[in-house]
Amino acid sequence: MSNLAIIGGTGFENLPPEFFGETVSVHLANAEVKVISIADNYVEPQALYFLPRHGDTHHLAPHQIDYRANIEALVELGVNKILATNAVGSLRSDLPPGTLLIPHDFIDFTRQRMLSYFVGSKWRHTDFSEPYSQLIRNAITRAAEDLDVPVVSRGVYVGVDGPRFETPAEVRMFALVGGDVVGMTGVQEAIFAREAGIEYGTLCFVTNYAAGLSLEPIEHEAVSKMMQDHVPTIREVLFQAAHLLCDLE
């Protein structure tokens, strides 16, 4: 039997009151990670956990998140399937704000992040021919269809360090090399989850056009507000996907 986890990004730091959850502290060698065990257990007989990526008060900037500790904590809890969400900027004029996209591939432009889940001498080369789990992507796609929520079922996620937003020249480059959306939190999770043997997929929400595609300046508060306004829909899709994955067991 395998457990599931939902990792919430910007705007999705907390569950609504009707979701009764209990905080679980996972003590690791160099960190303590707090996750929410959803006691109502929407995916019985598996356990379902919720992990707010930025902390429950969004106090962690993208470059301050301990991605490895988060994945290690979920491994300790017996999780082998992760449904995540990421706020992203659009690199294409035909992917406007409000678009939901399920990436199938990524390009790693991070420079100051931890490279691997493996530490010390216990490492191996890991195949990334399928960077995101087809199982998870299919579940999210099917869930969106069941709920009549439009999604783009493929896309390339470009990962950057942040916390600053990208320059217009960087945005043009990312688009030229095949990127569709850009974000600061998705790549390390995908890498570490794959290396840890966890099925991982994410539902990206386009909060804004990246720099140079719009005359409007990009402001974090506006990005957060845009995401928060759509969290109920995103949450519904992810929980429906969790149900579908449970049915496959």
Side-chain angles (χ1 to χ4, degrees), residues 33-163:
V33 177
K34 293 184 178 181
V35 302
I36 304 298
S37 174
I38 301 177
D40 292 341
N41 206 346
Y42 294 85
V43 292
E44 289 184 345
Q46 292 103 316
L48 177 62
Y49 299 98
F50 173 70
L51 193 160
R53 184 186 293 121
H54 295 273
D56 57 2
T57 59
H58 200 96
H59 59 280
L60 295 172
H63 66 293
Q64 297 173 326
I65 297 168
D66 193 339
Y67 299 93
R68 188 191 182 283
N70 287 347
I71 297 299
E72 185 181 4
L74 296 180
V75 169
E76 289 291 319
L77 292 170
V79 169
N80 75 349
K81 297 181 181 68
I82 295 175
L83 298 149
T85 182
N86 297 97
V88 296
S90 174
L91 301 171
R92 293 168 34 188
S93 59
D94 60 341
L95 288 176
T99 300
L100 287 168
L101 180 143
I102 307 167
H104 73 284
D105 206 344
F106 67 72
I107 303 173
D108 186 1
F109 272 99
T110 63
R111 294 168 293 183
Q112 301 294 323
R113 302 288 180 89
M114 189 174 181
L115 294 176
S116 177
Y117 181 76
F118 303 122
V119 294
S121 60
K122 295 182 179 180
W123 65 274
R124 66 178 182 273
H125 295 297
T126 305
D127 176 60
F128 270 80
S129 300
E130 189 179 272
Y132 295 95
S133 164
Q134 188 66 53
L135 176 70
I136 304 298
R137 292 180 57 240
N138 286 345
I140 297 173
T141 301
R142 170 67 185 280
E145 291 174 351
D146 290 347
L147 297 168
D148 198 25
V149 174
V151 294
V152 177
S153 60
R154 289 173 63 85
V156 177
Y157 180 109
V158 176
V160 296
D161 282 323

Side-chain angles (χ1 to χ4, degrees), residues 196-207:
I198 297 177
E199 301 275 356
Y200 177 94
T202 186
L203 179 61
C204 293
F205 179 72
V206 177
T207 58

